[in-house]
mmCIF file of all heavy atoms in Angstrom:
data_model
loop_
_atom_site.group_PDB
_atom_site.id
_atom_site.type_symbol
_atom_site.label_atom_id
_atom_site.label_comp_id
_atom_site.label_asym_id
_atom_site.label_seq_id
_atom_site.Cartn_x
_atom_site.Cartn_y
_atom_site.Cartn_z
ATOM 1 N N PHE B 30 94.396 100.293 101.499
ATOM 2 C CA PHE B 30 93.519 101.066 102.376
ATOM 3 C C PHE B 30 93.273 100.260 103.651
ATOM 4 O O PHE B 30 92.972 99.066 103.599
ATOM 5 C CB PHE B 30 92.186 101.365 101.702
ATOM 6 C CG PHE B 30 92.273 102.379 100.596
ATOM 7 C CD1 PHE B 30 91.568 102.201 99.414
ATOM 8 C CD2 PHE B 30 93.027 103.530 100.737
ATOM 9 C CE1 PHE B 30 91.617 103.143 98.386
ATOM 10 C CE2 PHE B 30 93.091 104.471 99.721
ATOM 11 C CZ PHE B 30 92.382 104.272 98.544
ATOM 12 N N ASP B 31 93.354 100.928 104.809
ATOM 13 C CA ASP B 31 93.219 100.187 106.062
ATOM 14 C C ASP B 31 92.142 100.726 106.981
ATOM 15 O O ASP B 31 91.990 100.243 108.112
ATOM 16 C CB ASP B 31 94.572 100.168 106.799
ATOM 17 C CG ASP B 31 94.963 101.546 107.342
ATOM 18 O OD1 ASP B 31 94.371 102.556 106.907
ATOM 19 O OD2 ASP B 31 95.860 101.601 108.203
ATOM 20 N N TYR B 32 91.385 101.705 106.521
ATOM 21 C CA TYR B 32 90.372 102.313 107.398
ATOM 22 C C TYR B 32 89.386 103.010 106.488
ATOM 23 O O TYR B 32 89.792 103.724 105.566
ATOM 24 C CB TYR B 32 91.079 103.298 108.339
ATOM 25 C CG TYR B 32 90.205 104.110 109.260
ATOM 26 C CD1 TYR B 32 89.618 103.557 110.394
ATOM 27 C CD2 TYR B 32 89.992 105.464 109.018
ATOM 28 C CE1 TYR B 32 88.844 104.319 111.253
ATOM 29 C CE2 TYR B 32 89.217 106.230 109.866
ATOM 30 C CZ TYR B 32 88.656 105.663 110.980
ATOM 31 O OH TYR B 32 87.890 106.426 111.829
ATOM 32 N N PHE B 33 88.087 102.759 106.753
ATOM 33 C CA PHE B 33 87.058 103.259 105.843
ATOM 34 C C PHE B 33 86.017 104.034 106.643
ATOM 35 O O PHE B 33 85.071 103.456 107.184
ATOM 36 C CB PHE B 33 86.408 102.085 105.099
ATOM 37 C CG PHE B 33 87.382 101.310 104.260
ATOM 38 C CD1 PHE B 33 88.124 100.267 104.804
ATOM 39 C CD2 PHE B 33 87.573 101.629 102.923
ATOM 40 C CE1 PHE B 33 89.038 99.556 104.046
ATOM 41 C CE2 PHE B 33 88.479 100.915 102.142
ATOM 42 C CZ PHE B 33 89.210 99.887 102.698
ATOM 43 N N PRO B 34 86.157 105.349 106.694
ATOM 44 C CA PRO B 34 85.190 106.176 107.433
ATOM 45 C C PRO B 34 84.125 106.754 106.508
ATOM 46 O O PRO B 34 84.320 106.864 105.298
ATOM 47 C CB PRO B 34 86.069 107.293 108.003
ATOM 48 C CG PRO B 34 87.163 107.444 106.991
ATOM 49 C CD PRO B 34 87.363 106.092 106.345
ATOM 50 N N TRP B 35 83.017 107.112 107.092
ATOM 51 C CA TRP B 35 81.987 107.881 106.402
ATOM 52 C C TRP B 35 81.871 109.222 107.121
ATOM 53 O O TRP B 35 81.800 109.268 108.350
ATOM 54 C CB TRP B 35 80.639 107.158 106.447
ATOM 55 C CG TRP B 35 80.559 105.991 105.521
ATOM 56 C CD1 TRP B 35 80.941 104.712 105.771
ATOM 57 C CD2 TRP B 35 80.051 105.996 104.184
ATOM 58 N NE1 TRP B 35 80.715 103.921 104.681
ATOM 59 C CE2 TRP B 35 80.166 104.674 103.692
ATOM 60 C CE3 TRP B 35 79.508 106.976 103.357
ATOM 61 C CZ2 TRP B 35 79.763 104.311 102.410
ATOM 62 C CZ3 TRP B 35 79.100 106.621 102.079
ATOM 63 C CH2 TRP B 35 79.233 105.311 101.613
ATOM 64 N N TYR B 36 81.836 110.274 106.313
ATOM 65 C CA TYR B 36 81.700 111.615 106.861
ATOM 66 C C TYR B 36 80.374 112.211 106.399
ATOM 67 O O TYR B 36 79.917 111.984 105.269
ATOM 68 C CB TYR B 36 82.863 112.515 106.424
ATOM 69 C CG TYR B 36 84.150 112.230 107.163
ATOM 70 C CD1 TYR B 36 85.007 111.216 106.752
ATOM 71 C CD2 TYR B 36 84.492 112.964 108.299
ATOM 72 C CE1 TYR B 36 86.179 110.949 107.449
ATOM 73 C CE2 TYR B 36 85.663 112.698 108.991
ATOM 74 C CZ TYR B 36 86.501 111.689 108.562
ATOM 75 O OH TYR B 36 87.656 111.418 109.260
ATOM 76 N N GLN B 37 79.772 112.993 107.284
ATOM 77 C CA GLN B 37 78.519 113.689 106.999
ATOM 78 C C GLN B 37 78.823 115.181 106.975
ATOM 79 O O GLN B 37 79.499 115.695 107.880
ATOM 80 C CB GLN B 37 77.507 113.357 108.102
ATOM 81 C CG GLN B 37 76.149 114.018 107.965
ATOM 82 C CD GLN B 37 75.302 113.774 109.224
ATOM 83 O OE1 GLN B 37 75.715 114.082 110.343
ATOM 84 N NE2 GLN B 37 74.107 113.210 109.043
ATOM 85 N N GLN B 38 78.336 115.859 105.948
ATOM 86 C CA GLN B 38 78.597 117.286 105.852
ATOM 87 C C GLN B 38 77.311 118.044 105.579
ATOM 88 O O GLN B 38 76.595 117.771 104.613
ATOM 89 C CB GLN B 38 79.611 117.594 104.740
ATOM 90 C CG GLN B 38 80.027 119.055 104.674
ATOM 91 C CD GLN B 38 81.085 119.320 103.614
ATOM 92 O OE1 GLN B 38 81.176 118.604 102.621
ATOM 93 N NE2 GLN B 38 81.891 120.362 103.813
ATOM 94 N N PHE B 39 77.033 119.019 106.456
ATOM 95 C CA PHE B 39 75.905 119.919 106.258
ATOM 96 C C PHE B 39 76.406 121.182 105.555
ATOM 97 O O PHE B 39 77.587 121.532 105.681
ATOM 98 C CB PHE B 39 75.245 120.261 107.599
ATOM 99 C CG PHE B 39 74.577 119.092 108.242
ATOM 100 C CD1 PHE B 39 75.171 118.422 109.305
ATOM 101 C CD2 PHE B 39 73.352 118.641 107.790
ATOM 102 C CE1 PHE B 39 74.560 117.329 109.899
ATOM 103 C CE2 PHE B 39 72.723 117.550 108.380
ATOM 104 C CZ PHE B 39 73.335 116.891 109.433
ATOM 105 N N PRO B 40 75.535 121.875 104.831
ATOM 106 C CA PRO B 40 75.971 123.075 104.083
ATOM 107 C C PRO B 40 76.681 124.077 104.980
ATOM 108 O O PRO B 40 76.215 124.397 106.080
ATOM 109 C CB PRO B 40 74.646 123.637 103.551
ATOM 110 C CG PRO B 40 73.747 122.459 103.446
ATOM 111 C CD PRO B 40 74.108 121.571 104.600
ATOM 112 N N GLY B 41 77.824 124.539 104.511
ATOM 113 C CA GLY B 41 78.585 125.546 105.240
ATOM 114 C C GLY B 41 79.369 125.014 106.426
ATOM 115 O O GLY B 41 79.996 125.787 107.160
ATOM 116 N N LYS B 42 79.351 123.711 106.625
ATOM 117 C CA LYS B 42 80.065 123.108 107.747
ATOM 118 C C LYS B 42 81.144 122.168 107.249
ATOM 119 O O LYS B 42 81.120 121.720 106.111
ATOM 120 C CB LYS B 42 79.089 122.314 108.637
ATOM 121 C CG LYS B 42 77.968 123.148 109.226
ATOM 122 C CD LYS B 42 78.479 124.111 110.259
ATOM 123 C CE LYS B 42 77.346 124.836 110.952
ATOM 124 N NZ LYS B 42 77.835 125.816 111.957
ATOM 125 N N GLY B 43 82.087 121.863 108.119
ATOM 126 C CA GLY B 43 83.089 120.884 107.765
ATOM 127 C C GLY B 43 82.544 119.471 107.905
ATOM 128 O O GLY B 43 81.596 119.229 108.649
ATOM 129 N N PRO B 44 83.122 118.518 107.185
ATOM 130 C CA PRO B 44 82.686 117.127 107.330
ATOM 131 C C PRO B 44 82.905 116.641 108.763
ATOM 132 O O PRO B 44 83.859 117.053 109.429
ATOM 133 C CB PRO B 44 83.606 116.374 106.362
ATOM 134 C CG PRO B 44 84.118 117.404 105.407
ATOM 135 C CD PRO B 44 84.193 118.668 106.193
#
Side-chain angles (χ1 to χ4, degrees):
Chain B
F30 288 139
D31 70 344
Y32 176 75
F33 299 87
W35 285 87
Y36 284 84
Q37 179 188 55
Q38 186 177 27
F39 293 103
K42 300 291 186 181

